[in-house]
Amino acid sequence: MASAPGADDSGRRRHRLAASLQLNPGPRPWRPSARLGQDPAPGSVDSEGGEQPLASAAAGDSGPRAQEDMGKQTGPSPRVSVGPAGPTGDFWKVARQLGPQLRDPPPGQAVAVLTKYAATLGVSLIFREDQPADPCFPFSMHVDLDGMACPAGTANSKKEAKQQAALSALSYIQSQLESPEPPKTPSKPPLGSVSVENILTHEQRCAAVVSAGFDRLVDMTSPYWACKGTVAAVILEREVPGAKGHAKEIYELVALGTGSSSCAGWLEFSGRQLHDCHGVVIARRALLRFLFRQLLLATQGGPKGRERSVLAPQPGPGPPFALKPRVFLHFYISNTPKGAAHDIYLPQSSEDSTPFRLQAHIRGELKPVCYLAPILRDTHVGCLSASDKLARWAVLGLGSALLAHFLPPLYATSLVLADPCHDPPTLNSAIHTRPTLDRDLGSYLPPPYTRNTLHLFSGPPVAPSDPSPNTCHELSLNWSLGDPDVEVVDVSTGRVKADAALGPPSRLCKAAFLRAFRQAAQALGKSHLLALKTYEEAKAGPYQEARQQLSLLLDQQGLGAWPSKPLVGKFRN
C-alpha cells in the first residue's frame, strides 16, 4: 500500500489516493486527468491470493461530554464499529450488538439484503465460486464475510446460485444469533475463483453506506421517504490494519442532507435562518457539525474520546488539530449539482462568452450573479449554486471560517455522482477550472490553500424507484453522526418544520455554529477567540482572507464576484 499521508512545510496535509480508490474492478470510472497527490500503489492481496476485499461501512461513537454539548444520542445506537483484529470473533460481537434483522428477505432480494447488512456491520463481502458437488446443480457459490466462510448455495445458473448463497448466509447468521451456544464457524469450502463482479467497488460501497444509513433514519412508511431522491452525504473512510498486515478500509456515514431548493424569502439578521437547502450543501453543513463534535470529543472525552475522535493534536504554530492519518472524506450526490455542471450546452471555450459564470438562487430563480439587482441581493436570501460551492470547496476545503481556527483545510478525496444523465467533462470543468490558478500569472491563494483535484465517479443511485410525488419539495432533512434523529427543515422559512407559522432555528444555522465555535474555543482555552463577539468577527482569519482573494480572482476572470452579506454576520450569540 502507499505510504501514509504526510505534511509539507506549510502544515497542509499532502493528499494521496485513498487505498479504496486503488482497487476498482470492472469498467474503470471516468476521472479527471490531473492526478491526486501521488500515484496509487498496486493493490494488495489477501491471505488467499485474491484481491484485497473492499470493506463496507462502519460507524463511530461519540464521547459523553461531546454528546451533552452537541445533542445527546438516545436509545440503543444502530451504528456499530468493527475492530481490525480477528475476523470471526469481531463479526459475531458486532452482529450481536446490531441485533437480528435478517428474517424473510423478499424474493430475489437476498443479495441486496446481505450487501446492506454487511455495509451496516462494516465488514467485507465476497461471493466465491466453488466446485459443484452435485451434477444436477452445475453452479455453486458461498459468501465470505470478513474472512468467515458461510454455507454454500447451488443452482442451475450463476445468478441463482448467488441468490442461494446469500440466502444460506443470511439463514446461517440468523440461526447462530438465535442459538444460546457460541457461534460455530462452518468448515471452509474449497477455494474457488473470486469474480471481479463480486468485489464491491468504491462507488458501490459509498452508495450502500448512504442507502443503509438513510434507511435506518427514515422508515419506508415515513412521509419523508421520498427525500431519499435528493440525498447527498459525506462518507469518512479509515484505513485500518487487516489480515497479515494488509490494510482494509472501513466506511462510515458521518453527514447526510436532502433537498432541492433554497429559501426564497427576505433576509434575516439573527443568524437563525438556513438559506441554502440543497442536499450537498446541507450534507457539508452537517459535516461541520460533526467536526465541531469531534473537537469536543478529542478535548473533553478523555483517553477514549481521543482514541475515537478522527482528529488528533497537531504541534506547531498552525491550527491545534488535524485529521488523523489514513482518514479520507468522500462525497456522494444523487443529482447533478445545479449551476455550471448543468450547462452542458455551453462551449468549453469561447471568445464571445464566458462559460461557467457564477450563478445564484434568488426568489426561486437561478441566474448569473452579474444580473442580480443590488436591491434584491441586499434584501433577499441569495445562494450561490451547488456547482459554484463545490468549486470553492475544492480550493478552500470543506471547513469554514469558524472551523479554520482549529483545523487546517480539509479536502474531499472523491465525489460519487449517481445521476446517469450528468456530463463528466462538464462536471470536471465546473469544479476544477474556476478560477484559473497560476502562480506565474499572480493568480494564486495564500498557503496552505490550493486546488485539490477530486476523483469523480459515476455511481449507482439509491433513490426510491417510485417516490411519492411532491411530498418533499419544500423540505430538507439533515443528520450527522451523533445526532439521535434527522431534523426536518421547512425550506420556505429556513427553520425547523413546525405546526406553527415559524419553527425553531435549525441546528445547522449560523447561530448554532457560532455557539459550537465558542464551545470549542472554551474547551481549548482560546481566550482570544472567546473575545470575538459577533459572527463576522469570529470569521476573521486566513480562511476569510483566502475566500476574499478567491472572490477577487473570480471577478477578475469574468466569472462574477462572490456576493458578500456583511450585515448577516453582525449578530451575537
Side-chain angles (χ1 to χ4, degrees), residues 418-458:
D419 188 345
C421 298
H422 80 279
D423 181 64
T426 302
L427 178 67
N428 178 43
S429 296
I431 296 176
H432 296 128
T433 65
R434 302 182 301 154
T436 300
L437 297 181
D438 190 329
R439 183 170 291 272
D440 294 335
L441 298 178
S443 57
Y444 61 92
L445 299 179
Y449 297 98
T450 186
R451 173 167 287 125
N452 171 68
T453 303
L454 285 165
H455 284 253
L456 305 177
F457 292 83
S458 296

Side-chain angles (χ1 to χ4, degrees), residues 25-95:
R28 294 188 61 80
W30 176 88
R31 304 182 185 183
S33 57
R35 68 179 187 174
L36 177 61
Q38 58 191 57
D39 293 331
S44 62
V45 295
D46 63 16
S47 58
E48 299 168 347
E51 290 190 64
Q52 172 82 12
L54 300 181
S56 297
D61 304 293
S62 296
R65 288 295 301 276
Q67 290 179 355
E68 287 176 12
D69 290 328
M70 295 295 291
K72 291 187 177 180
Q73 174 91 19
T74 58
S77 172
R79 297 172 291 277
V80 292
S81 298
V82 176
T88 305
D90 279 345
F91 175 83
W92 291 117
K93 176 182 177 181
V94 175

